Tab-separated table of all heavy atoms in Angstrom:
chain	number	residue	atom	x	y	z
A	1	TRP	N	0.836	-1.223	-0.035
A	1	TRP	CA	0.018	-0.014	0.000
A	1	TRP	C	0.842	1.272	-0.004
A	1	TRP	O	1.990	1.244	0.380
A	1	TRP	CB	-0.960	0.031	1.197
A	1	TRP	CG	-0.269	-0.083	2.553
A	1	TRP	CD1	0.037	-1.194	3.253
A	1	TRP	CD2	0.247	1.032	3.319
A	1	TRP	NE1	0.679	-0.863	4.440
A	1	TRP	CE2	0.779	0.488	4.537
A	1	TRP	CE3	0.284	2.406	3.167
A	1	TRP	CZ2	1.371	1.211	5.503
A	1	TRP	CZ3	0.829	3.188	4.194
A	1	TRP	CH2	1.369	2.597	5.355
A	2	GLY	N	0.193	2.323	-0.396
A	2	GLY	CA	0.847	3.677	-0.371
A	2	GLY	C	-0.191	4.740	-0.633
A	2	GLY	O	-1.280	4.449	-1.017
A	3	TRP	N	0.185	6.000	-0.454
A	3	TRP	CA	-0.677	7.094	-0.722
A	3	TRP	C	-0.933	7.168	-2.271
A	3	TRP	O	0.053	7.050	-3.061
A	3	TRP	CB	-0.033	8.413	-0.234
A	3	TRP	CG	0.082	8.493	1.244
A	3	TRP	CD1	1.193	8.091	1.964
A	3	TRP	CD2	-0.900	8.944	2.168
A	3	TRP	NE1	0.937	8.329	3.283
A	3	TRP	CE2	-0.283	8.835	3.456
A	3	TRP	CE3	-2.192	9.481	2.055
A	3	TRP	CZ2	-0.991	9.200	4.602
A	3	TRP	CZ3	-2.831	9.837	3.216
A	3	TRP	CH2	-2.261	9.683	4.466
A	4	GLY	N	-2.190	7.304	-2.643
A	4	GLY	CA	-2.531	7.429	-4.046
A	4	GLY	C	-2.386	6.129	-4.839
A	4	GLY	O	-2.497	6.098	-6.055
A	5	GLY	N	-2.180	5.053	-4.109
A	5	GLY	CA	-1.959	3.747	-4.815
A	5	GLY	C	-0.574	3.537	-5.318
A	5	GLY	O	-0.327	2.738	-6.173
A	6	TYR	N	0.348	4.319	-4.814
A	6	TYR	CA	1.804	4.235	-5.197
A	6	TYR	C	2.574	3.549	-4.050
A	6	TYR	O	2.644	4.094	-2.958
A	6	TYR	CB	2.389	5.610	-5.475
A	6	TYR	CG	1.753	6.338	-6.629
A	6	TYR	CD1	0.790	7.357	-6.419
A	6	TYR	CD2	2.052	5.990	-7.958
A	6	TYR	CE1	0.224	8.033	-7.439
A	6	TYR	CE2	1.462	6.697	-9.026
A	6	TYR	CZ	0.514	7.687	-8.783
A	6	TYR	OH	-0.028	8.390	-9.777
A	7	TYR	N	3.098	2.433	-4.295
A	7	TYR	CA	3.870	1.704	-3.263
A	7	TYR	C	5.022	2.486	-2.819
A	7	TYR	O	5.442	2.455	-1.657
A	7	TYR	CB	4.328	0.401	-3.802
A	7	TYR	CG	4.996	-0.566	-2.768
A	7	TYR	CD1	4.277	-0.998	-1.655
A	7	TYR	CD2	6.298	-1.003	-2.945
A	7	TYR	CE1	4.806	-1.836	-0.752
A	7	TYR	CE2	6.869	-1.858	-2.026
A	7	TYR	CZ	6.139	-2.247	-0.922
A	7	TYR	OH	6.767	-3.086	-0.021
A	8	SER	N	5.587	3.380	-3.713
A	8	SER	CA	6.762	4.214	-3.330
A	8	SER	C	6.301	5.356	-2.445
A	8	SER	O	7.254	6.042	-1.913
A	8	SER	CB	7.363	4.778	-4.629
A	8	SER	OG	6.434	5.580	-5.361
A	9	LEU	N	5.040	5.541	-2.204
A	9	LEU	CA	4.558	6.562	-1.260
A	9	LEU	C	3.928	5.880	-0.036
A	9	LEU	O	2.960	6.436	0.519
A	9	LEU	CB	3.524	7.466	-1.946
A	9	LEU	CG	4.075	8.322	-3.146
A	9	LEU	CD1	2.966	9.198	-3.627
A	9	LEU	CD2	5.331	9.097	-2.767
A	10	GLY	N	4.514	4.780	0.357
A	10	GLY	CA	4.057	4.090	1.543
A	10	GLY	C	5.250	3.802	2.486
A	10	GLY	O	6.412	3.920	2.075
A	11	LYS	N	4.952	3.334	3.680
A	11	LYS	CA	6.015	3.065	4.637
A	11	LYS	C	7.007	2.092	4.150
A	11	LYS	O	8.183	2.222	4.360
A	11	LYS	CB	5.401	2.655	5.998
A	11	LYS	CG	6.407	2.502	7.092
A	11	LYS	CD	5.809	2.153	8.409
A	11	LYS	CE	6.909	1.945	9.509
A	11	LYS	NZ	6.332	1.603	10.816
A	12	ALA	N	6.530	0.982	3.572
A	12	ALA	CA	7.395	-0.105	3.153
A	12	ALA	C	8.183	0.189	1.885
A	12	ALA	O	9.340	-0.145	1.715
A	12	ALA	CB	6.668	-1.417	2.963
A	13	GLY	N	7.502	0.932	0.986
A	13	GLY	CA	8.124	1.145	-0.367
A	13	GLY	C	8.732	2.513	-0.530
A	13	GLY	O	9.342	2.803	-1.565
A	14	GLY	N	8.598	3.374	0.467
A	14	GLY	CA	9.051	4.771	0.300
A	14	GLY	C	10.421	5.068	0.855
A	14	GLY	O	10.742	6.262	0.983
A	15	GLU	N	11.204	4.051	1.115
A	15	GLU	CA	12.491	4.280	1.780
A	15	GLU	C	13.377	5.275	0.942
A	15	GLU	O	14.080	6.043	1.551
A	15	GLU	CB	13.190	2.948	1.962
A	15	GLU	CG	14.515	3.090	2.669
A	15	GLU	CD	15.182	1.723	2.923
A	15	GLU	OE1	14.515	0.687	2.717
A	15	GLU	OE2	16.372	1.685	3.286
A	16	ASN	N	13.327	5.162	-0.372
A	16	ASN	CA	14.205	5.975	-1.218
A	16	ASN	C	13.392	7.100	-1.949
A	16	ASN	O	13.923	7.661	-2.921
A	16	ASN	CB	14.911	5.049	-2.229
A	16	ASN	CG	15.785	4.026	-1.551
A	16	ASN	OD1	16.533	4.336	-0.637
A	16	ASN	ND2	15.721	2.786	-2.008
A	17	SER	N	12.222	7.389	-1.467
A	17	SER	CA	11.373	8.362	-2.159
A	17	SER	C	11.415	9.721	-1.389
A	17	SER	O	10.982	9.778	-0.202
A	17	SER	CB	9.911	7.864	-2.232
A	17	SER	OG	9.042	8.894	-2.637
A	18	ALA	N	11.893	10.717	-2.062
A	18	ALA	CA	11.913	12.063	-1.417
A	18	ALA	C	10.506	12.580	-1.185
A	18	ALA	O	10.256	13.195	-0.175
A	18	ALA	CB	12.685	13.016	-2.342
A	19	GLN	N	9.588	12.234	-2.119
A	19	GLN	CA	8.199	12.708	-1.901
A	19	GLN	C	7.575	12.038	-0.698
A	19	GLN	O	6.869	12.678	0.046
A	19	GLN	CB	7.350	12.419	-3.171
A	19	GLN	CG	5.975	12.979	-3.119
A	19	GLN	CD	5.148	12.687	-4.363
A	19	GLN	OE1	5.636	12.138	-5.352
A	19	GLN	NE2	3.892	13.010	-4.343
A	20	TYR	N	7.845	10.740	-0.481
A	20	TYR	CA	7.275	10.085	0.706
A	20	TYR	C	7.856	10.668	1.936
A	20	TYR	O	7.174	10.886	2.905
A	20	TYR	CB	7.500	8.604	0.684
A	20	TYR	CG	6.924	7.900	1.886
A	20	TYR	CD1	5.550	7.908	2.089
A	20	TYR	CD2	7.700	7.309	2.861
A	20	TYR	CE1	4.942	7.350	3.212
A	20	TYR	CE2	7.144	6.750	4.020
A	20	TYR	CZ	5.783	6.789	4.208
A	20	TYR	OH	5.211	6.214	5.275
A	21	LYS	N	9.161	10.986	1.956
A	21	LYS	CA	9.730	11.647	3.097
A	21	LYS	C	9.074	12.951	3.374
A	21	LYS	O	8.804	13.344	4.481
A	21	LYS	CB	11.242	11.874	2.925
A	21	LYS	CG	11.941	12.458	4.116
A	21	LYS	CD	13.456	12.632	3.874
A	21	LYS	CE	14.140	13.169	5.135
A	21	LYS	NZ	13.532	14.454	5.661
A	22	GLY	N	8.688	13.701	2.277
A	22	GLY	CA	7.954	14.940	2.424
A	22	GLY	C	6.635	14.750	3.067
A	22	GLY	O	6.215	15.515	3.898
A	23	ILE	N	5.898	13.638	2.699
A	23	ILE	CA	4.630	13.318	3.291
A	23	ILE	C	4.784	13.089	4.846
A	23	ILE	O	4.022	13.668	5.614
A	23	ILE	CB	4.006	12.104	2.643
A	23	ILE	CG1	3.561	12.430	1.190
A	23	ILE	CG2	2.798	11.617	3.446
A	23	ILE	CD1	3.056	11.245	0.385
A	24	VAL	N	5.817	12.296	5.192
A	24	VAL	CA	6.010	12.000	6.617
A	24	VAL	C	6.396	13.301	7.345
A	24	VAL	O	5.896	13.550	8.461
A	24	VAL	CB	7.145	10.916	6.718
A	24	VAL	CG1	7.513	10.755	8.204
A	24	VAL	CG2	6.671	9.613	6.141
A	25	ASP	N	7.253	14.065	6.777
A	25	ASP	CA	7.654	15.353	7.381
A	25	ASP	C	6.481	16.329	7.536
A	25	ASP	O	6.331	17.011	8.593
A	25	ASP	CB	8.750	16.021	6.674
A	25	ASP	CG	10.107	15.249	6.725
A	25	ASP	OD1	10.244	14.396	7.613
A	25	ASP	OD2	11.022	15.550	5.917
A	26	SER	N	5.599	16.324	6.527
A	26	SER	CA	4.462	17.225	6.527
A	26	SER	C	3.507	16.847	7.638
A	26	SER	O	3.001	17.669	8.360
A	26	SER	CB	3.785	17.140	5.196
A	26	SER	OG	2.650	18.039	5.105
A	27	ILE	N	3.241	15.555	7.808
A	27	ILE	CA	2.368	15.013	8.866
A	27	ILE	C	2.949	15.376	10.259
A	27	ILE	O	2.251	15.832	11.155
A	27	ILE	CB	2.121	13.510	8.692
A	27	ILE	CG1	1.211	13.271	7.460
A	27	ILE	CG2	1.549	12.935	9.964
A	27	ILE	CD1	1.062	11.829	7.111
């Protein structure tokens, strides 16, 4: 799973995603 259906925007798949880090930082 991930935000918007993107695995790269989820906890498991977002390790190397700058955008996912931005989501976590924003929250």
Side-chain angles (χ1 to χ4, degrees):
W1 58 269
W3 295 92
Y6 298 102
Y7 188 60
S8 61
L9 297 184
K11 184 177 180 180
E15 183 178 349
N16 299 315
S17 170
Q19 186 179 353
Y20 181 64
K21 184 179 184 303
I23 291 173
V24 173
D25 289 345
S26 183
I27 288 173

